[in-house]
Structures are given as C-alpha cells and as structure tokens.
Amino acid sequence: MNFKIVTALPQLLEGPLNHSIMQRGQDKGLLQIELVNLREYGLGPHKQIDDYQFGGGAGMVMMCEPLASCIEDLCSKAEFDEIIYLTPDGEKFNQKLANQLSLKKNIMLICGHYKGIDERIREKYVSKEISIGDYVLSGGELAAAIVVDSVGRLLPGVLNNETSALLDSFQDGLLAPPVYTRPRNFKDMEVPEVLLSGNDAAIENWRYEMSLERTKKRRPDILEDND
Ligand code: 6GU
C-alpha cells in the first residue's frame, strides 16, 4: 500500500512514521510512505503557498495553484483510490474507516495549515475529508500520522502476530481487556488467577467479560453503535 502525504511541513512527519511498526512495514515492502513537500510547488521566487483570505479575517489560506499542481503531478504518476483532506470539519475517523482504507492501494493525504485550504481544491480534487476528533490541531500532519499508523498496522504482515490486530480495542466493537506481565505480585497486587490457570477457554471467557464490562462502563456509546 502506498501513501503520498502532501505537506508544507514534512519534518513534522519524519519522526512518527519512520520508527517501530511503520518502519517495519516499510522495510518489509508492505507499506510505502512518501512525503511530498508542497513548498516545491509554491509560486514565484519565494515559493509562496498561502495568502490572505478574501473577505478579510485573520489567518492565511493555502492557495489553489501550488496544491493543484502538486496533486496533478502526483495523479500523473499513479492512480489514487482516495484523495483525503485532513480537516476538523471532516468525517470522524474511527476503526471502521481505518479498516476500509486498509483495503485500498494508493492514498493521497493532504495536510492543511493556517485557516485551511481554498475551498475549490476540496471541490475539485478531494474524495474524502477526515477529522480525527473534536478538537483543533495546528495542521493536518499529526492527523495524517494517526491515519497512516492506524491503517498501516492493519496490513497483513506488518504486525508480527497477525492476530494481534484482531484483538485490538474497537476491532470487535469492544474495548480491549486488561493485560498483565511479570511479576505475578507487584506491590501486593496479584495477577488475576484465571490468567495463570492454563485453561484457554476460561481465559478467553474472562477476557470477553472484562472487555464487555469495561466497554459498558467507559464507552456505552460504542455498544449502542454495534446493534
Ligand atoms: Cl484532520 N486537522 C486539524 N487541523 N485539526 C483537527 C483534525 C484535523 N482533526 C481534528 N482536529
């Protein structure tokens, strides 16, 4: 799977996407993540990419021409299944959307800054708009990193143990159960006995009950969404 991430601040994305599981996915050739510096498509000697907004008001808007030439350049080299703009007014990102995106081959992500991008770019090129939650970030880069991480780890072979993604919180509509490792006793707190029993059926049942209880208590909204 290929991600092209259009950004004026590629440095913001170099760290999060080039370590750990995302790095392993890239090393194994299962995942390609390419950062595309929008500045290279900027106008004039200063490579301008933003300008004051029509109608007045504080904050700059990312201009049409640099974005359009960047997007058209990328589209001339590959066919994109989705061109996604990261924006707080987009569709709320969740595990279901991550699962859907993990089935695609080529995805372009566009990161906005300042007041956002010119509306005409959204109309002409963008196929999907995603928000990662009800709060405002300074730009789309951190949101793009979240989308790429959550989608990338779902690709077969990226995680060591493929079943582990299937047991994640949200993947089956429930939060994940609590987990424990050594020591068995930590500051007088014991690991639940059932986990030491060797009884796989009992362990599976306990984990399910804990998931259910935790979901009812913390996120009753996702239980309702399942029906
Ligand atoms: Cl995708 N972008 C920005 N700038 N802020 C956000 C967001 C995205 N999702 C939530 N807040």
Side-chain angles (χ1 to χ4, degrees):
M1 177 167 194
N2 290 284
F3 283 101
K4 293 264 192 289
I5 309 179
V6 175
T7 169
L9 289 168
Q11 320 87 285
L12 272 182
L13 284 161
E14 276 154 16
L17 298 176
N18 291 312
H19 293 285
S20 180
I21 291 170
M22 292 303 104
Q23 185 61 53
R24 196 193 314 144
Q26 292 178 84
D27 291 343
K28 286 182 169 179
L30 302 167
L31 178 63
Q32 278 90 249
I33 305 167
E34 194 182 316
L35 303 177
V36 180
N37 192 344
L38 182 64
R39 185 66 65 177
E40 287 169 14
Y41 298 85
L43 297 184
H46 296 106
K47 301 284 178 195
Q48 186 182 0
I49 56 170
D50 54 19
D51 207 343
Y52 297 100
Q53 53 178 317
F54 281 122
M60 308 291 272
V61 173
M62 290 172 64
M63 304 165 79
C64 288
E65 297 96 323
L67 279 165
S69 46
C70 179
I71 294 167
E72 288 182 13
D73 186 25
L74 295 176
C75 287
S76 74
K77 297 170 186 155
E79 194 155 319
F80 288 89
D81 302 303
E82 297 283 1
I83 297 181
I84 298 172
Y85 174 48
L86 284 319
T87 173
D89 62 8
E91 172 186 356
K92 183 99 68 83
F93 191 59
N94 59 20
Q95 191 63 41
K96 184 171 162 212
L97 190 44
N99 291 341
Q100 287 168 3
L101 294 178
S102 75
L103 303 174
K104 314 268 181 185
K105 210 171 128 26
N106 286 306
I107 294 182
M108 189 191 306
L109 297 173
I110 299 172
C111 305
H113 257 267
Y114 322 108
K115 281 283 165 198
I117 68 176
D118 192 295
E119 187 68 18
R120 292 165 290 185
I121 293 295
R122 299 170 70 162
E123 279 173 29
K124 186 162 176 63
Y125 299 103
V126 169
S127 62
K128 197 181 259 309
E129 303 190 316
I130 293 178
S131 162
I132 61 163
D134 294 340
Y135 41 82
V136 179
L137 302 169
S138 325
E141 282 78 7
L142 298 180
I146 282 167
V147 170
V148 172
D149 185 297
S150 62
V151 172
R153 65 192 293 286
L154 295 172
L155 302 176
V158 170
L159 296 182
N160 272 338
N161 178 355
E162 279 189 46
T163 63
S164 63
L166 298 175
L167 298 177
D168 287 341
S169 279
F170 298 106
Q171 200 55 269
D172 56 2
L174 294 175
L175 299 180
V179 294
Y180 300 85
T181 185
R182 289 185 293 178
R184 283 174 62 159
N185 183 305
F186 173 69
K187 295 185 190 290
D188 283 338
M189 293 180 289
E190 294 281 353
V191 171
E193 198 61 41
V194 61
L195 297 178
L196 311 170
S197 69
N199 181 339
D200 291 341
I203 292 170
E204 191 183 340
N205 188 52
W206 178 85
R207 286 183 171 149
Y208 175 71
E209 291 300 330
M210 296 302 284
S211 282
L212 197 58
E213 185 185 312
R214 191 161 266 200
T215 311
K216 276 184 192 159
K217 197 182 276 172
R218 299 181 183 190
R219 294 296 304 275
D221 56 306
I222 64 177
L223 284 178
E224 285 151 23
D225 286 349
N226 289 340
D227 322 318

